[in-house]
Amino acid sequence: MPTYGGDEVNALVIDVGSTWTRAGFAGEDMPKAYFPSRVGYIESELELIEAADDPKETTAADIDVEMAESGEDKRETPVTNGDRRKQKTRKYFVGDTESATWRAGMEIGGPLEHGLVKDWDIYEKIWEYAFKSRLRVQPEEHPVMVSEAAWNTSSLRTRLIELAFEKFNCPAFYVCKTPVLAAFGTGKHTGLVVDVGGEMASACAVYEGFCLTKTVCKQEIGGELISSQLLEQLKKDFDYEPTPIFDIESKAPVDIRQKPVVHRYNREGTTASYLQEMRLRIMQEFKETACEVIERSYDSNNVNSKPLKPFEFPDGFNLSVGAMRYALPEILFNPSQFMVSRPKQLENESPLMGIHDIAHKSLMASDVDLRPQLLNNVVIAGGSTLFPGFNDRFPAMLQDSYPGSRIKLYAPSTNTERKVTAWLGGSVLASLGTFHQLWISRAEYDEHGASIVDKKCQ
Amino acid sequence: MAIKPKQKAPGMSRELTSLYLENQTIPVSLDHFQAKPKFGSRAERWVWRGFKSSARSDDLALYHWTKASETYTDYFYARYNAKTKPYDYTDEEYDKCIEPLDKGWSRVETDYLLYLCKQFDLRFVVIHDRYYSHPDCPSTGVVPERTLEDLKERYYAICRALIQHRAGEDARDPDDLPLQATNKLADDLALLKFDKAKEQERKQYLEALFMRTKDEIEEEEILITEARRIEANERRLIQEREMLLQSHCMFEPAPTTTTISSIKVQFAQASDSVPLLQSNSASASAGDTTPKGRKGAPDSSDTPSARPMKKQKSVHGVASAVRTKAGAAASKAQSAGAQSPGARPLGFGAGEMAGPSSVAASSLERRSMSPLRGGLFGGIKQERSEGESQFGAVSFATEEHLVNPAIVQVEAADLGDIIVAQRDSRLGPGVFLRSDKLHPIPKNKLESVKQFMEQLSLNCPNTIWPRPVMATAAVCDRFDSLQATIIPLLECKKTADKLETEIQVLRARKRMLVESIGEDKTEEALSKLPPFDPSKVVSTRAVTPSIAETPVASNRQHNRKGSTASTRKKARE
């Protein structure tokens, strides 16, 4: 019998984040599928003629067909126009290329808001795409492990388990909080998990595999905020708005900081959300190429002495990035000072916290006996922690708050692993021999109803 | 494998072959690839098999790959399904022993607490975290804002009450119970003790420790290093002092006994800072105070001069000579000060202080007391005029003090009750411990005496030579007499042992003699030896005069008798 404690039952692990979704088989070291959570959809209003053919049938019958073609969802709306009922239909386009392809009238939307599932249709489409189009498995045959935000509500969990058992007919299901999984992914059962993702930055104490709910502290500063702030900064500094590649018919080389010479398609029916999404993708590239976090506290003299980095946008506009590449990531530590303009979602938040403040708040909410242990096991997760220099800066900021404590940072060493830390933890957990007693089985769901999720998944 | 060039290599054109020289071999690699590897044994068959775990309450079947040959009755990992068993109570037990514990806790809430304890395996941090948000939290009867300590206190109080209650219900008499059982009960109770106030206090301290600022931590670190340094210094000082004491004891001659009937033993202890101050003031005021000094001089010359009663015999011969001179000068000054108007008794110091520096110190303290200072300088002046001193008086006094605090021996009769100092010359100058007055143990006996004392279970605090813990006069006396007994006793033992071996050697020789020449001849030969003289052998008796008198040594008397008996035996032989 195995000696390492693992026993694989071919469980599926899916971690739907606000920007990226990871899905794969438990026991593997990388998710098989890694694609954007933002999906494209075209909404159309159709007159209901008869009972619509079940989209499920099509998918079940022909799995190999791209989701884009079969992903239709009908929403019944109580709009009555005379005596005829009208139906709103949404056609979904999930996946990296599908959602990025230009289509007239295609909107882009994400499943989560504030870390919680907001649009269940998109959420379901993502699952479907991951399981059927990417992993190419029948969810009815595999136990499914799902991640959820630490501040998830009971009603949303109930919907989640319903989705798993009613829609996907999973034989067994488990939902685990992201910080716990992130801790497991780094090989810790206790630690302070600091997760800076696309949308949210959060910190939470995990104690022996239990997420301490009172220590959960979060704020909406993440990678996307930095990207959108970058866009605004470019507009402010150079009066420039990048043209995404889908709109470029031809371009000519220009000098540094000169207006791009570009011939656009000016396609009709380009939605604002699609344009914004494409611009954010450019900014994503910009962040990955140029942006860095300064190792010590931000000092404009120090930053100006750093070497410049050249960057060329898809439309030919190019510049050597100087202070900007340090100033924008600084939003993570000092949001109120470095933000170009306050976005809508943060208008009511005051005062704005840096991520070290979030970690501090979380730590102070935990028991004093636990704090040294937590500081000794600070787990870093999330894609927005990948700025070079972050690993030096963050512990230094923490150390300033607790000069007497020993702080040790744990983070997966490779960038790809850090993007999927929580998924990795799920993969580890769902392939443990001792874990299999914890699955919520179909029988249990049938017996106790959806409320069992609160009892079994703590 | 090589192929001769003359043969046509297969798969090669004749032209290509002809490119090679006549004798050159063409390297051709042979194909060693084996399409099908051979394994020693047959491959194990693996099957995708469903399993059920006894750790699950339902019969969920999950599937995994296993060897077809392996069969299990239960799931392998079900054995790790360990659960803690928190204490639980029956209704009766609750009414009897838990109800009266704390009126602040209702039955509903207590049940809920124990349920959570079971749920989270006594992880109180988690229990406290989920206490109000748990889905099973009763809607009424739960007191808000319970702290972690509240929960712990309640749980442990319940445990203790239950243990005590169950132990009390045990029909057996507690005296009949095996010791293990009673011990276990006590252990359990001790383990489950929870002091809420202490815990809260501890957490407060922890909090304070945790919230220290950078400056506070730095300050603390500095203090710690400083404390370490001081401690190290102290240790070194003690060590050095012991070394000094040791070497001092070794070189010291046997103590001279002096009759101290009419002489008070005193030693002056002047504060360390005084000499420097004094020299400063002396040099500073040398010019302007001289007239005053002169003025005071006649007074001091009038007084009967103190003269050394007895020169101290010591290794520091010179110093001691100098010291007595200084003493003389000081006493002159002293008497001058005492007689001059305006001078009054100076508490601890001036009145009885023998050291010149201390007098000077008092003069320093009271600059207005010119007569006194005058007296001092007068004394010095006189000293100079007498030509007894080679050094400048002031600096001499300072130096003298730095080396040895003044110890003077003065004839008491001349000065009335003022100064008399007399001490054991072995002790050297300065402050000494009473235990230093104990007679030193000869170095070669030191170890054995220490051992002996250990046997008597006398614990001596220092390592170099034994000294009593509480050195009162009485204890020192006893200790001294004990030492005085032990040392001769050890001598005695040594001699006895020596004689014992000698006897054995002689006996062996006699035996050999008997074997070789026969008994008769041996007797004959022995009788020819000169008659035995006991005075030559039993010299040990002289060494042990006082043994019988001390009670400590009484248990050794038997030994002594043995040894003397053996001496006699030897004598006979």
Side-chain angles (χ1 to χ4, degrees), chain A residues 1-10 143 171-172 177 207-208 210-215 360 363-364 367-372 375 400-405 432-434 436-444 454-456 458, chain B residues 48 51 53 55-66 70 72 75-78 80-81 83 115 119-120 123-126 128-136 148-149 152 199 202-203 206-207 210-214 217:
Chain A
M1 204 55 197
T3 50
Y4 56 92
D7 183 21
E8 300 190 7
V9 294
N10 258 9
K177 297 199 184 299
Y207 175 73
E208 298 193 350
F210 288 98
C211 166
L212 300 184
T213 47
K214 280 179 189 161
T215 64
H360 173 77
L363 195 76
M364 294 322 278
D367 193 65
V368 69
D369 273 338
L370 212 57
R371 286 178 206 164
L375 281 177
D400 283 348
S401 313
Y402 318 106
S405 306
L432 282 179
T434 42
H436 299 319
Q437 68 188 63
L438 292 176
W439 292 107
I440 300 172
S441 69
R442 171 113 226 159
E444 280 171 319
D454 282 334
K455 273 194 180 160
K456 286 204 85 170
Q458 287 168 342
Chain B
W48 180 245
F51 66 89
S53 170
R56 290 194 67 91
S57 55
D58 60 349
D59 53 354
L60 171 71
L62 293 164
Y63 289 81
H64 62 176
W65 286 104
T66 49
E70 281 177 349
Y72 294 100
Y75 182 50
F76 179 81
Y77 291 101
Y80 298 115
N81 185 29
K83 292 258 179 222
Y115 166 76
Q119 188 93 24
F120 294 113
R123 287 182 187 92
F124 278 101
V125 176
V126 185
H128 178 240
D129 184 63
R130 308 286 166 88
Y131 197 69
Y132 297 106
S133 59
H134 197 272
D136 295 329
L148 183 59
E149 286 76 33
K152 274 189 178 176
E199 191 74 0
R202 185 183 70 83
K203 287 212 168 154
L206 263 183
E207 189 91 34
F210 187 76
M211 295 314 291
R212 283 176 306 170
T213 64
K214 208 167 191 170
I217 287 168

Side-chain angles (χ1 to χ4, degrees), chain A residues 85-265:
Chain A
R85 290 177 66 202
K86 279 200 175 174
Q87 191 182 42
K88 240 184 198 171
T89 316
R90 267 187 180 187
K91 197 170 184 185
Y92 286 98
F93 304 92
V94 195
D96 211 344
T97 42
E98 282 304 320
S99 62
T101 312
W102 179 86
R103 288 180 182 86
M106 186 172 82
E107 302 267 0
I108 297 285
L112 308 184
E113 190 185 70
H114 216 69
L116 304 177
V117 185
K118 181 194 159 209
D119 194 325
W120 283 96
D121 293 324
I122 295 178
Y123 195 81
E124 191 190 320
K125 289 293 165 232
I126 287 173
W127 273 36
E128 218 168 281
Y129 173 74
F131 294 152
K132 296 193 170 163
S133 303
R134 297 297 294 270
L135 302 178
R136 293 175 185 270
V137 292
Q138 301 280 10
E140 303 89 76
E141 293 170 1
H142 301 269
V144 174
M145 152 89 78
V146 193
S147 73
E148 62 170 1
W151 53 93
N152 206 7
T153 62
S154 186
S155 60
L156 289 176
R157 302 178 101 200
T158 316
R159 267 198 95 164
L160 198 62
I161 194 173
E162 276 167 11
L163 180 75
F165 282 119
E166 308 288 348
K167 280 259 165 67
F168 288 90
N169 286 315
C170 304
F173 170 83
Y174 197 79
V175 57
C176 196
K177 297 199 184 299
T178 316
V180 177
L181 293 182
F184 286 161
T186 22
K188 299 273 155 205
H189 58 72
T190 302
L192 183 72
V193 180
V194 180
D195 185 347
V196 190
E199 190 190 6
M200 304 291 295
S202 66
C204 165
V206 173
Y207 175 73
E208 298 193 350
F210 288 98
C211 166
L212 300 184
T213 47
K214 280 179 189 161
T215 64
V216 175
C217 184
K218 58 187 194 295
Q219 191 177 271
E220 262 183 274
I221 47 167
E224 275 175 26
L225 176 74
I226 298 176
S227 295
S228 56
Q229 293 291 317
L230 262 172
L231 276 177
E232 292 194 29
Q233 182 83 48
L234 285 172
K235 193 169 183 187
K236 196 173 143 198
D237 288 1
F238 309 106
D239 190 25
Y240 165 72
E241 280 184 311
T243 315
I245 201 100
F246 77 90
D247 208 17
I248 300 171
E249 197 180 357
S250 65
K251 62 178 176 182
V254 287
D255 275 350
I256 191 163
R257 291 177 189 215
Q258 293 308 306
K259 284 267 172 208
V261 180
V262 64
H263 194 261
R264 294 189 181 82
Y265 285 116

Side-chain angles (χ1 to χ4, degrees), chain B residues 338-355:
Chain B
Q339 287 190 355
S340 50
R344 46 189 174 130
L346 288 171
F348 163 70
E352 295 183 340
M353 204 61 91

Side-chain angles (χ1 to χ4, degrees), chain A residues 63-75:
Chain A
I63 303 157
D64 286 0
V65 172
E66 276 295 302
M67 279 305 303
E69 267 113 307
S70 61
E72 279 184 38
D73 184 33
K74 278 138 193 145
R75 276 187 185 181

Side-chain angles (χ1 to χ4, degrees), chain B residues 178-197:
Chain B
L179 192 65
Q180 274 177 326
T182 41
N183 279 349
K184 192 179 171 297
L185 178 69
D187 283 354
D188 285 352
L189 287 177
L191 273 178
L192 294 168
K193 195 168 180 190
F194 184 81
D195 189 341
K196 186 171 146 193

